[in-house]
Amino acid sequence: MQSKRSAARREAWAAGTMIVLGLGAIAQASTYNIGSLARMGPGMFPAILGVLLVLLGLMIARMAVAPAAAEEDAEDEPPPDWRGWGCIIGGLMTFILVGKYGGLVPATFALVFISAMGDRQHTPRSAALLAAGVTVLGVAVFSWALQLQFPLFRWG
């Protein structure tokens, strides 16, 4: 009984956190020009992200009160996968560092490669192939289609 209550409490905290972060992103986005869908301003992306976070938080809250969640035993949950968490956080930190000094292409490749290695089913070869594919897609979307002002490579 205690484990069910703690799982519901955890889900409520997760939902609340997502909703608060989403509302914060929306509030911050409102300080920028949002623009229109045809001519997006700098506040459009944070506003969309904020709305998505709020919706995700509401979905998590809905799942927390669903009858199926009450029947699920917390004892069946595996322990946290610390390798996965570490690789995802390490990938994000690497993206920031490599992006600042190396550019979009090496930063994106490093982010995806390191994050993919958090999954025990990935080999270095499959992670590198995934990273190469996502990097090509990321360059196509962010650099060419959206014309993001982030250099592809930085030399120094």
Side-chain angles (χ1 to χ4, degrees):
M1 185 69 173
Q2 182 66 21
S3 64
K4 289 180 187 178
R5 238 181 293 167
S6 67
R9 186 178 306 130
R10 232 183 2 248
E11 289 180 6
W13 274 103
T17 302
M18 293 298 236
I19 292 170
V20 167
L21 286 173
L23 292 174
I26 293 169
Q28 185 64 32
S30 68
T31 64
Y32 296 109
N33 178 19
I34 294 195
S36 66
L37 288 177
R39 201 172 248 309
M40 294 182 194
M44 180 66 80
F45 182 72
I48 291 171
L49 183 62
V51 169
L52 290 175
L53 283 172
V54 169
L55 291 175
L56 181 62
L58 292 173
M59 286 180 8
I60 292 172
R62 174 74 175 111
M63 299 285 289
V65 297
E71 296 174 0
E72 193 174 330
D73 252 348
E75 296 168 5
D76 295 340
E77 293 181 21
D81 186 11
W82 295 113
R83 175 182 170 173
W85 280 102
C87 286
I88 290 171
I89 292 170
L92 290 171
M93 306 269 293
T94 303
F95 180 83
I96 293 168
L97 184 66
V98 174
K100 183 175 183 175
Y101 298 108
L104 180 65
V105 171
T108 304
F109 185 88
L111 167 68
V112 176
F113 181 81
I114 293 170
S115 297
M117 290 309 294
D119 183 1
R120 297 183 192 282
Q121 294 177 352
H122 274 289
T123 63
R125 181 177 185 267
S126 68
L129 289 172
L130 177 65
V134 171
T135 300
V136 168
L137 183 64
V139 166
V141 169
F142 292 108
S143 184
W144 294 318
L146 295 176
Q147 296 183 356
L148 185 70
Q149 297 299 312
F150 194 158
L152 294 178
F153 294 97
R154 290 188 187 183
W155 309 107

